[in-house]
Each structure stands twice: as structure tokens, then as C-alpha cells.
């Protein structure tokens, strides 16, 4: 999709952005998130977002550029761009959510294992 060079009214733009942010905040399940993201993003846009998040996650786990590049099929430039911004508030929030989910999954498995005995 091509982006128009015409600018929106500042008030309208603020309202539209707020509406979309609220939409994202209101999504409660992975299934709903998948439905929404696959609807509003093109397959290429969605792949790009998913790869950027994966790059950030793997960088936070100290994976090497070459490993990330080969596994995610991304360029060194893409990795460097995420690396350059990984200390930003937004990326730190992304990593906080990913790590919380990872922690919960680990403990869920441990708890299930205890009750299997």
C-alpha cells in the first residue's frame, strides 16, 4: 500500500491513533490477535513485525547476528536496526511482555509435571 503525502488534521489523526491503540489494548486472546493482525496488516507487513520482535527477543538472549540472520532469514541491517533501538522504552516493554510469557510457560510446565506424579 502506498502512503499518501497529504497530512491529516492533527486532531483527527490523534483520535484515529488513539482508537487503534485502544483496539490493540482490548485484544484478549492470541486467536483474536491473529485475526485482527492478519486482517489489518498485509502478509509482508505481518512477517516484518514478527521478525522484528523475534530479532529483539533473540538479541536479548545474546544470540549472535549470524545465528539470527540464518534462522530468521533477515539481513544484518535489520538486526542492527533493532539492536540500535532495543534500549528504547517500547522495545523494553515488548521484551518485558515476552519474558513474562516465557516465565509463565516454564512455571506452567513445572506445575503440570508436579501433578503428573
Amino acid at each position: 500500500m502506498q502512503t499518501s503525502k497529504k497530512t491529516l488534521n492533527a486532531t483527527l489523526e490523534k483520535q484515529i491513533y488513539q482508537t487503534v491503540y485502544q483496539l490493540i489494548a482490548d485484544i484478549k486472546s492470541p486467536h483474536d490477535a491473529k485475526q485482527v493482525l492478519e486482517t489489518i496488516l498485509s502478509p509482508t507487513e505481518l512477517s516484518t513485525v514478527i521478525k522484528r520482535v523475534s530479532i529483539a527477543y533473540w538479541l536479548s538472549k545474546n544470540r549472535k547476528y549470524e545465528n539470527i540472520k540464518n534462522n530468521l532469514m533477515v539481513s544484518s541491517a535489520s538486526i542492527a536496526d533493532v539492536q540500535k533501538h532495543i534500549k528504547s522504552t517500547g522495545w523494553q516493554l515488548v521484551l518485558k511482555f515476552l519474558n513474562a510469557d516465557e516465565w509463565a510457560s516454564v512455571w506452567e510446565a513445572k506445575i503440570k509435571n508436579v501433578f503428573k506424579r
Side-chain angles (χ1 to χ4, degrees):
M1 177 168 76
Q2 196 171 13
T3 304
S4 173
K5 299 210 184 315
K6 298 175 184 174
T7 58
L8 289 174
N9 169 286
T11 303
L12 177 60
E13 182 177 39
K14 184 177 177 182
Q15 290 171 343
I16 292 170
Y17 274 63
Q18 189 57 44
T19 300
V20 173
Y21 297 149
Q22 189 61 55
L23 164 70
I24 300 300
D26 290 344
I27 297 172
K28 301 293 185 216
S29 74
H31 176 266
D32 290 348
K34 181 180 187 290
Q35 291 287 116
V36 169
L37 291 173
E38 287 180 349
T39 298
I40 63 176
L41 298 174
S42 72
T44 302
E45 291 166 334
L46 182 58
S47 177
T48 300
V49 169
I50 288 170
K51 285 183 178 186
R52 289 176 62 82
V53 169
S54 299
I55 290 167
Y57 177 76
W58 281 1
L59 285 172
S60 77
K61 300 298 181 188
N62 298 315
R63 291 243 187 144
K64 304 285 183 215
Y65 266 51
E66 204 59 33
N67 179 272
I68 296 169
K69 188 172 149 182
N70 292 336
N71 282 290
L72 296 179
M73 302 300 171
V74 295
S75 68
S76 294
S78 294
I79 300 168
D81 185 59
V82 173
Q83 177 79 59
K84 185 168 110 177
H85 298 101
I86 203 162
K87 297 287 185 204
S88 73
T89 305
W91 276 120
Q92 289 302 301
L93 193 56
V94 166
L95 293 171
K96 176 182 162 188
F97 284 121
L98 290 174
N99 288 322
D101 188 51
E102 178 184 48
W103 180 87
S105 295
V106 167
W107 278 99
E108 177 186 26
K110 287 181 180 184
I111 291 168
K112 284 180 180 178
N113 205 15
V114 166
F115 287 105
K116 280 184 182 177
R117 295 177 192 174

